[in-house]
Amino acid sequence: MTHSFQLLPDHGRAIIGDLHLAQGDRRDDLIVFCHGYKGFKDWGAWHLMAKAFTEAGFDFVRFNFSHNGGTVEQPIDFPDLEAFSENNYSLEMSDLQMVLDHFSSAEQTPLAPPKNIYLLGHSRGGGIVMLTAAQDKRINKVATLAAVSDYRARFLEGTPHFEAWKATGITHIENSRTGQLLPHKFQFYLDFIANEERLTISKAVKELKVPQLIVHGTQDPTVALKEAQALHHWNPDSGLLIIDGADHVFGMQHPWNKPELPAAMQEAVSALIAFYSA
């Protein structure tokens, strides 16, 4: 059973999401999933991942970050480019906190406050969940799929591209699937610098006090395998699953019209279920 929800932060752009209730025997555990860059809750086969977790007894939440470029009316793809241009890591951290506050509330229905809260993030969202797990004592476990290890490195400081971005105040990244030029205002970088200590993934991973699982593919062209190895180095107690041949999205694509997960993603989900169940 799936229940849609909508939260409204003070800035006025909504967080929309879906709560998938466990099927059969409930574990009283909630998994909260964060999508990555140029992502959204309905991308690819995330719905089948949700189904796999609920069949294993977990309640599962997936949501759109408020500034991911989607809207309440059109949650798929990027109709709101102004919102996309104003996004930053601090906003995504705040969005996740609002989701966690909502599902930790005794007034929240149809789900009572869970006994355990687990986080899961893909790519850029992996960084958000690791940062949150180090800072929020409500989190009991954290896992990532093809997660980034360093936000600052992605700004490419000192390059001609960065200097042009700084000078003009805006840059654009092409979304090859939709053909859109997605804008980033320079505030994205400035916000990171202003909050760098809180947004440094290496620091957070070294400070983690909860179990961590890192899942990555050997053929990821977007986030190199060495980033997963760095995460594991910073937290030697973490689990590291390297899936041979898996790309950045573990064989998925958008749209995903098949009834089953691709083999690499199924391997990842099976490992995640075992990790959260232990």
Side-chain angles (χ1 to χ4, degrees), residues 17-149:
D18 301 305
L19 165 65
H20 303 268
L21 293 178
Q23 304 175 46
D25 294 333
R26 294 185 69 249
R27 295 179 177 273
D28 199 19
D29 298 331
L30 175 68
I31 300 171
V32 178
F33 172 69
C34 294
H35 66 73
Y37 179 58
K38 295 187 289 187
F40 41 92
K41 68 180 180 66
D42 297 306
W43 187 90
W46 295 139
H47 63 293
L48 295 179
M49 181 178 72
K51 182 173 181 287
F53 283 125
T54 60
E55 287 176 346
F58 298 96
D59 296 314
F60 184 85
V61 164
R62 53 184 173 138
F63 68 96
N64 280 357
F65 285 113
S66 61
H67 286 66
N68 79 323
T71 63
V72 174
E73 297 76 19
Q74 188 180 338
I76 294 175
D77 290 333
F78 315 100
D80 190 347
L81 293 182
E82 179 63 20
F84 191 94
S85 74
E86 295 174 352
N87 198 17
N88 56 53
Y89 299 124
S90 294
L91 280 170
E92 293 189 350
M93 292 284 287
S94 178
D95 286 350
L96 179 52
Q97 283 298 309
M98 190 169 212
V99 172
L100 293 172
D101 290 346
H102 178 67
F103 287 101
S104 298
S105 168
E107 291 77 31
Q108 204 286 316
T109 58
L111 181 68
K115 179 180 178 182
N116 296 300
I117 299 177
Y118 305 142
L119 296 183
L120 174 62
H122 175 245
S123 192
R124 171 166 145 176
I128 297 298
V129 300
M130 288 184 285
L131 293 171
T132 299
Q135 299 169 23
D136 192 324
K137 294 182 180 180
R138 292 174 296 186
I139 307 308
N140 301 100
K141 294 183 181 182
V142 61
T144 55
L145 296 164
V148 301
S149 65

Side-chain angles (χ1 to χ4, degrees), residues 111-236:
L111 181 68
K115 179 180 178 182
N116 296 300
I117 299 177
Y118 305 142
L119 296 183
L120 174 62
H122 175 245
S123 192
R124 171 166 145 176
I128 297 298
V129 300
M130 288 184 285
L131 293 171
T132 299
Q135 299 169 23
D136 192 324
K137 294 182 180 180
R138 292 174 296 186
I139 307 308
N140 301 100
K141 294 183 181 182
V142 61
T144 55
L145 296 164
V148 301
S149 65
D150 187 341
Y151 284 147
R152 184 164 190 167
R154 282 170 165 71
F155 290 117
L156 303 176
E157 293 165 289
T159 64
H161 178 272
F162 178 85
E163 294 304 322
W165 184 27
K166 181 179 179 180
T168 63
I170 194 164
T171 190
H172 294 81
I173 303 295
E174 183 179 4
N175 184 351
S176 59
R177 183 174 59 81
T178 66
Q180 292 169 291
L181 290 176
L182 304 176
H184 290 286
K185 293 180 180 177
F186 196 62
Q187 64 79 27
F188 186 24
Y189 172 78
L190 295 176
D191 178 81
F192 175 83
I193 295 302
N195 298 283
E196 183 171 10
E197 182 174 2
R198 179 172 178 252
L199 297 175
T200 298
I201 296 170
S202 59
K203 178 178 182 293
V205 172
K206 291 173 184 177
E207 294 175 353
L208 276 176
K209 300 294 192 295
V210 298
Q212 177 185 20
L213 176 64
I214 303 156
V215 183
H216 215 101
T218 60
Q219 301 301 313
D220 189 332
T222 305
V223 179
L225 177 59
K226 66 181 181 181
E227 298 207 42
Q229 294 166 334
L231 295 172
H232 182 55
H233 174 74
W234 294 328
N235 179 13

